[in-house]
Amino acid sequence: MLCFVGTPIAIGSADPLPTPRNDPFYTPGSGWDSQAPGTILNSRPVEVASLGPQAQDADAWQLLYRTTDTAGHPMATVTTVLRPRTGQVKGLISYQAATDASAPQCAPSFALRQGAPDKYDASLDFIQIDQMLSSGHAISVPDWQGPKGSMLTPEQPGYAVLDGVRAAEGFAPLGLSGTDTPVAAMGYSGGSFGTSWAAQVHPAYAPEIRLVGVAMGGWTAPIGRYLESLDSGPFSGFLPSLLPGMMRADPRLAAAFDKYLTPAGQALMAAGDSKCLTPNMAQHAFLRMDDYLTIPFSQLLEQVQASLADLDFGPEAPTAPLFLYNAVHDEIVNIARVDQAVAQWCASGAQITYTRDQLSEHVSLAISATPAVLRWIDERLAGQAAPGGCSRHTVPSMSLGGA
């Protein structure tokens, strides 16, 4: 998960943008649920913001498309697609933003738009999008949590990512080559969750997509131990951001928390569910979940272990080449758990390049690693084969070119 703390940057707009909950664009017309996954249900041109006052120098649209939820039912969500204004696009990158809160205004399709009220949680996204565009790629940025802001639910994020790719490939203004388009997937921190599920469900769900490479860092696994590690620490503000959407996605989690949350705990979850990550982080550093429960937080997590285990990535490795990277001294994600997950996938036959960065921490690596990550993606989209087998490297800093 990822946060940037700074001063709000207001973006001028004649009329405030309606959030997804109040925007009719997000509501599909009748008969949408009978369409094939990836079918475009609506589209509109938009402007995507940048870190400065101006919009991104790119053509951009939003696509409402049909996808699938965790239970296998039809679902409609939105992806923001972009392409450079000049030149032929080289390929397509599905970029999964680190969406760490479930309030409607936190969805990438809203947070990235020119005219959204602040740029806190999208700071990394603007940096990444700018660099991807400069490399000549088209980009799909899906709302991989879906319309209900379902946090950390299994499989659905992967379906939403892949159906966003299908929609992008079928959207003529992007200038792609349909299913002949080489596709890469990329996500850091919270975005690694959606990216990993896309890699795992790809062979069975969307085998026609030419997924030539998957890059992800700041990987959060396993989820149960990750949640417990956040409690009472400087990053405990993640908990009121993550837990409401997790409860909405899984009735088992909802029943357990409803049973043990105190009235103050219920109020904490309701307030956290209305905000994006940065205000929750600022307000709830060193929050102790034990103060909001009638049993210890660790005991509650033990009771819902079966539900949390469903969120963890299975032992069967993805078939697409993987580029994984993590800070050795990551203050949010325990590197030992990442090492273990990588070893498990390597033992299952995955094709992995794994880089451990000694000098970075969680947020700085998200920025300093970008050139190396995009070089790796550029090579895959250009048709260059990824290194075979599994490799593990520990480098001083990925900013020095180490990969």
Side-chain angles (χ1 to χ4, degrees):
M1 310 310 179
L2 189 67
C3 73
F4 286 84
V5 177
T7 303
I9 307 173
I11 305 300
S13 178
D15 298 302
L17 293 176
T19 62
R21 188 173 291 162
N22 301 309
D23 188 339
F25 177 80
Y26 289 77
T27 302
S30 61
W32 68 271
D33 49 352
S34 63
Q35 300 297 315
T39 299
I40 298 172
L41 307 172
N42 203 354
S43 66
R44 64 181 177 188
V46 294
E47 283 191 321
V48 172
S50 69
L51 279 180
Q54 73 284 354
Q56 291 281 350
D57 184 20
D59 294 324
W61 301 265
Q62 288 181 340
L63 311 178
L64 178 72
Y65 62 98
R66 194 274 208 201
T67 184
T68 306
D69 69 12
T70 296
H73 301 141
M75 183 182 81
T77 194
V78 170
T79 186
T80 304
V81 295
L82 307 91
R83 59 155 294 156
R85 288 205 165 105
T86 60
Q88 183 175 359
V89 295
K90 301 175 183 178
L92 176 66
I93 301 174
S94 183
Y95 172 68
Q96 285 59 254
T99 311
D100 298 323
S102 56
Q105 70 270 21
C106 312
S109 61
F110 180 80
L112 295 179
R113 287 186 66 184
Q114 185 79 330
D118 66 61
K119 298 184 177 184
Y120 271 168
D121 292 355
S123 300
L124 172 65
D125 305 324
F126 296 131
I127 295 170
Q128 306 280 37
I129 287 170
D130 181 71
Q131 295 198 38
M132 285 184 269
L133 288 169
S134 66
S135 298
H137 303 304
I139 310 166
S140 171
V141 190
D143 289 0
W144 52 268
Q145 293 180 345
K148 297 180 180 179
S150 301
M151 292 295 301
L152 306 183
T153 188
E155 298 180 346
Q156 172 188 302
Y159 301 153
V161 169
L162 296 171
D163 286 324
V165 169
R166 285 168 163 161
E169 289 181 342
F171 188 61
L174 284 180
L176 300 173
S177 302
T179 56
D180 291 331
T181 303
V183 177
M186 175 180 173
Y188 187 82
S189 192
S192 70
F193 191 85
T195 303
S196 179
W197 275 113
Q200 288 179 95
V201 304
H202 163 252
Y205 186 76
E208 81 283 1
I209 291 175
R210 285 185 58 202
L211 187 62
V212 298
V214 176
M216 59 185 190
W219 197 17
T220 53
I223 295 300
R225 294 178 65 185
Y226 171 69
L227 293 175
E228 189 170 8
S229 73
L230 295 171
D231 187 46
S232 303
F235 305 103
S236 56
F238 277 112
L239 293 171
S241 274
L242 297 173
L243 290 172
M246 293 178 67
M247 289 185 272
R248 188 159 46 248
D250 190 331
R252 297 171 297 175
L253 285 174
F257 274 87
D258 285 345
K259 181 177 180 180
Y260 297 114
L261 281 169
T262 65
Q266 296 283 0
L268 173 71
M269 293 297 108
D273 200 22
S274 68
K275 303 171 186 174
C276 294
L277 177 64
T278 301
N280 277 327
M281 289 284 290
Q283 185 175 355
H284 297 298
F286 302 102
L287 174 146
R288 294 178 69 253
M289 282 301 299
D290 285 3
D291 295 338
Y292 297 90
L293 295 164
T294 58
I295 63 172
F297 186 44
S298 58
Q299 186 176 331
L300 175 54
L301 292 178
E302 283 296 322
Q303 290 191 23
V304 297
Q305 187 55 45
S307 296
L308 296 175
D310 289 343
L311 307 179
D312 292 331
F313 314 123
E316 188 171 337
T319 57
L322 302 173
F323 179 42
L324 308 179
Y325 56 104
N326 226 88
V328 173
H329 303 293
D330 193 312
E331 74 281 22
I332 300 177
V333 177
N334 187 321
I335 187 70
R337 298 170 194 160
V338 180
D339 292 346
Q340 184 178 10
V342 171
Q344 186 178 27
W345 272 2
C346 284
S348 299
Q351 188 176 351
I352 298 177
T353 299
Y354 176 37
T355 301
R356 306 163 83 249
D357 184 298
Q358 289 182 314
L359 297 181
S360 301
E361 42 74 58
H362 191 81
V363 173
S364 65
L365 183 63
I367 299 170
S368 64
T370 296
V373 173
L374 288 180
R375 271 198 308 275
W376 188 88
I377 287 177
D378 286 342
E379 291 171 356
R380 306 293 80 76
L381 292 176
Q384 183 174 332
C390 273
S391 65
R392 169 173 156 167
H393 311 278
T394 300
V395 301
S397 173
M398 291 181 68
S399 65
L400 303 177

